[in-house]
Amino acid sequence: MQIADLIMEIFAAKGSSAYFGEPVSQREHALQTAHLAEIDGARNWLIVAALLHDIGHLLHELPEHVADLGIDPRHEDIGQGWLAQYFGPEVTAPVRLHVDAKRYLCATDPAYLALLSPASVQSLQLQGGPFNEEGVRVFEQQPFAREAVRLRRWDDIAKVPGLHVPGLEHYLAMIQAVQLRAV
Ligand code: FE
């Protein structure tokens, strides 16, 4: 099966589930994040990463209210591991780092914490809280850290109920073009 078809299937099966504690579904959240990346002028591989950054949530079987149970499902690692079968590090690294990017922004941008939704603040604690100085330094040295921060900022505002944005089909050719290609 082609990767784009597989992604269509996964979103068809699980995309209607709620985006933990937010007023949009997983599909709406993914499509809004990708659209924000596209209108911000991101390269195709980063738009694909934005679209698929939470696919780990669609691949694991934990209930929607996992944060209330005190569980961090490490969806960024699940997503990265799965995506690495099909995509290079330019896609997988921003996905893996998008949670660390939140911890980074909380530590370095005083205005950022105020932007986070209550659900995102709750999961921040499970994810280890804001980085300390050492964490900030280590994060900045990782390849694609800047891209992960860009992705994170789109991610945080891609929660608008009923917003009209292009559908999954808009991204299928892009997904095919980006798969396992060097930057
Ligand atoms: Fe997200």
Side-chain angles (χ1 to χ4, degrees):
M1 189 185 274
Q2 301 261 46
I3 174 62
D5 295 328
L6 197 51
I7 287 166
M8 290 275 272
E9 270 201 7
I10 291 167
F11 274 95
K14 302 286 283 293
S16 306
S17 56
Y19 180 49
F20 315 99
E22 309 288 358
V24 290
S25 69
Q26 287 285 350
R27 181 190 292 101
E28 290 172 301
H29 175 62
L31 292 173
Q32 288 183 27
T33 309
H35 182 63
L36 287 163
E38 187 160 29
I39 61 179
D40 202 19
R43 302 271 298 273
N44 281 357
W45 47 266
L46 191 53
I47 296 171
V48 170
L51 179 73
L52 302 176
H53 76 277
D54 275 340
I55 198 150
H57 281 314
L58 306 182
L59 297 169
H60 71 69
E61 295 295 330
L62 292 169
E64 285 168 15
H65 59 293
V66 278
D68 294 334
L69 304 174
I71 296 169
D72 175 8
R74 299 284 310 178
H75 74 284
E76 67 277 26
D77 293 335
I78 297 169
Q80 189 253 348
W82 188 83
L83 290 168
Q85 302 174 88
Y86 309 101
F87 298 100
E90 72 279 13
V91 173
T92 62
V95 171
R96 180 174 61 81
L97 292 174
H98 84 275
V99 173
D100 281 354
K102 177 165 83 170
R103 301 179 65 191
Y104 172 79
L105 283 165
C106 286
T108 57
D109 180 353
Y112 179 76
L113 198 57
L115 287 175
L116 289 180
S117 65
S120 201
V121 171
Q122 186 188 19
S123 59
L124 172 67
Q125 297 316 317
L126 286 175
Q127 290 156 347
F131 275 140
N132 60 19
E133 255 176 59
E134 168 71 2
V136 165
R137 207 175 52 75
V138 170
F139 175 82
E140 284 173 341
Q141 288 166 358
Q142 310 235 29
F144 300 103
R146 284 168 151 289
E147 287 77 8
V149 168
R150 288 184 76 193
L151 195 164
R152 184 74 222 184
R153 291 195 180 272
W154 302 319
D155 181 10
D156 289 322
I157 55 171
K159 302 173 178 179
V160 182
L163 190 71
H164 201 77
V165 293
L168 202 47
E169 63 286 346
H170 176 74
Y171 301 99
L172 297 182
M174 202 183 284
I175 290 168
Q176 293 292 3
V178 164
Q179 66 168 320
L180 286 177
R181 270 174 46 166
V183 179

